Amino acid sequence: MTLPEPAVLVLEDGTRHTGRAYGARGTTLGEVVFATGMSGYQETLTDPSYAGQIVLQTAPHIGITGMNEEDSESHRIWVAGYIVRDPSRVVSNWRAESSLDAGLINDGIVGISGIDTRSITRRIRSAGSMRGGIFSGADAALDPDEQLRMVQQAPQMSGRNLSAEVSVDVVTVTTAVGERLGNLAVLDLGVKQATIDNLAARGFEVHVLPQTSTIEDIRAIDPVAVFYSNGPGDPAASDGHVALLREVLDEGLPFFGICFGNQLLGRALGLGTYKLPFGHRGINQPVLDKSTGKVEITAHNHGFAVEAPLEGSFESPNGYGLVEVSHVGLNDNVVEGLRALDIPAFSVQYHPEAAAGPHDANYLFDRFRDLVIATQGDKN
């Protein structure tokens, strides 16, 4: 059997791991992060929130179920690069339409296999997320000093605004399922298809708007509420989206944000954000819902978080009344949700649609629908 071409992973601290090419050949640069899910690799790969990131799968055996059109969260693979230990040599699933390797090649995603992913994960956990590069095929033979120079000159994730790379260019509409509640304005910062489907299932006519949209664009669809999606990048670099959200809140429109949308709600309320050492990525993160006392296992993909007091309520620095932290991550006490007490707005830092599971947090879409109905009742 002919072995794949060589490949090397280079981290910005000079660490090197030699393995085999997987996916497309060439060079790719990005922030190296690890995802802890034991399943759902296709949903991870096609999640726009991973733009600019080289994703390492901590589960050792990846690719056995192949790829299919139905499970994709968007129209393409978004990761900057892919790191796996033992890629499956066969595809064994009745729903598979292609292999994972073929999917990576089709979308031009450079990957590496056959390296010690546990060692890399432990290094990132201790040193923090760092820039890296995968060099495969002929590029694996580049001078090591040149490879390291390329990695160290790659852009940092802090300060990057990636919304324009992942957002739609024109408005798309998904019809409401069942009893129609009204038009919902979704600002696309990297929205996943499962999110759109869950919102439509609650009776919303889902209008996915480009990230360049203005308050006039939102008003034009006569929305009953506004939703900010997940997405990649640093929330501190999204001043325009924060300003738009403040206009939304000033108009009294109900608001729900997830992941990046949670960070932007925090900023709109007047709170700060910061970069986590190595982030939360995977489908096994325990979160406490403070309103019910229940612990939920949730799906995460975020490298930034909101700064806020975990106990009690506090005044919004930007004048939106009382606010409280609604959800807390139990691994490290990170803010995982916000709830405004005097205006109809809340958000969570994770993914309640969780297409690859678990579904403990799916009730949040019902909570949003109930908030919209209650707000409409108050206006009447």
Side-chain angles (χ1 to χ4, degrees), residues 1-5 20 25:
M1 182 180 67
T2 302
L3 291 174
E5 298 168 84
R20 295 291 174 181
R25 273 52 168 175

Side-chain angles (χ1 to χ4, degrees), residues 61-206:
H61 192 52
I62 297 295
I64 187 66
T65 56
M67 300 276 281
N68 67 74
E69 187 69 28
E70 184 179 352
D71 289 346
S72 290
E73 290 294 343
S74 63
H75 64 281
R76 54 163 287 190
I77 295 174
W78 286 101
V79 302
Y82 202 44
I83 306 169
V84 299
R85 179 171 178 172
D86 296 317
S88 176
R89 290 175 293 176
V90 298
V91 174
S92 181
N93 188 276
W94 65 274
R95 298 174 65 238
E97 297 168 358
S98 72
S99 68
L100 172 54
D101 186 42
L104 294 169
I105 293 172
N106 184 65
D107 283 356
I109 308 301
V110 176
I112 185 171
S113 66
I115 59 177
D116 187 350
T117 51
R118 180 177 174 83
S119 171
I120 301 166
T121 301
R122 289 170 64 88
R123 188 165 192 84
I124 293 173
R125 279 186 60 87
S126 60
S129 297
M130 61 184 82
R131 290 166 296 178
I134 300 174
F135 305 86
S136 69
D139 289 357
L142 290 173
D143 181 77
D145 290 339
E146 173 63 11
Q147 291 172 337
L148 181 59
R149 183 193 65 79
M150 293 171 65
V151 170
Q152 292 177 340
Q153 290 184 353
Q156 300 269 9
M157 187 58 71
S158 294
R160 293 187 72 183
N161 184 326
L162 297 169
S163 300
E165 296 185 17
V166 298
S167 182
V168 295
D169 296 322
V170 296
V171 179
T172 64
V173 180
T174 299
T175 304
V177 177
E179 184 177 353
R180 187 178 183 279
L181 189 56
N183 295 331
L184 174 65
V186 173
L187 192 70
D188 180 14
L189 304 171
V191 72
K192 296 161 69 175
Q193 187 60 46
T195 301
I196 296 171
D197 294 342
N198 270 280
L199 291 167
R202 268 66 179 189
F204 292 109
E205 193 93 354
V206 182

Side-chain angles (χ1 to χ4, degrees), residues 48-52 75-76 78 157 159-170 187-191 208-213 228-242 244 258-261 263-264 267:
S49 298
Y50 281 109
H75 64 281
R76 54 163 287 190
W78 286 101
M157 187 58 71
R160 293 187 72 183
N161 184 326
L162 297 169
S163 300
E165 296 185 17
V166 298
S167 182
V168 295
D169 296 322
V170 296
L187 192 70
D188 180 14
L189 304 171
V191 72
V208 178
L209 307 181
Q211 59 92 26
T212 53
S213 297
Y228 269 27
S229 77
N230 57 290
D234 184 349
S238 288
D239 290 345
H241 301 137
V242 173
L244 175 62
I258 67 169
C259 204
F260 199 53
Q263 297 159 13
L264 296 181
R267 288 199 58 206

Side-chain angles (χ1 to χ4, degrees), residues 184-372:
L184 174 65
V186 173
L187 192 70
D188 180 14
L189 304 171
V191 72
K192 296 161 69 175
Q193 187 60 46
T195 301
I196 296 171
D197 294 342
N198 270 280
L199 291 167
R202 268 66 179 189
F204 292 109
E205 193 93 354
V206 182
H207 294 244
V208 178
L209 307 181
Q211 59 92 26
T212 53
S213 297
T214 64
I215 191 65
E216 288 76 21
D217 296 325
I218 291 176
R219 289 179 184 138
I221 70 167
D222 190 25
V224 294
V226 174
F227 178 90
Y228 269 27
S229 77
N230 57 290
D234 184 349
S238 288
D239 290 345
H241 301 137
V242 173
L244 175 62
L245 180 50
R246 292 198 64 180
E247 292 179 293
V248 168
L249 299 180
D250 290 342
E251 296 210 356
L253 285 166
F255 173 82
F256 180 26
I258 67 169
C259 204
F260 199 53
N262 175 72
Q263 297 159 13
L264 296 181
L265 176 62
R267 288 199 58 206
L269 295 173
L271 305 173
T273 56
Y274 64 100
K275 195 174 192 305
L276 294 166
F278 49 83
H280 300 172
R281 296 174 182 88
I283 56 177
N284 53 0
Q285 302 281 336
V287 168
L288 172 66
D289 182 343
K290 293 174 63 179
S291 68
T292 64
K294 293 182 179 179
V295 175
E296 305 158 3
I297 304 303
T298 57
H300 288 224
N301 172 20
H302 64 107
F304 295 85
V306 175
E307 294 178 301
L310 299 183
E311 301 300 330
S313 59
F314 54 91
E315 283 285 343
S316 159
N318 282 350
Y320 292 105
L322 290 176
V323 181
E324 67 179 8
V325 171
S326 59
H327 296 75
V328 178
L330 297 182
N331 284 336
D332 50 11
N333 289 325
V334 165
V335 173
E336 297 292 351
L338 298 168
R339 184 166 74 98
L341 302 181
D342 295 320
I343 59 172
F346 75 101
S347 59
V348 292
Q349 186 56 69
Y350 46 94
H351 293 238
E353 81 292 334
H359 300 130
D360 294 18
N362 196 263
Y363 70 91
L364 289 165
F365 292 108
D366 296 323
R367 185 176 288 182
F368 181 43
R369 177 196 59 203
D370 294 343
L371 175 66
V372 173

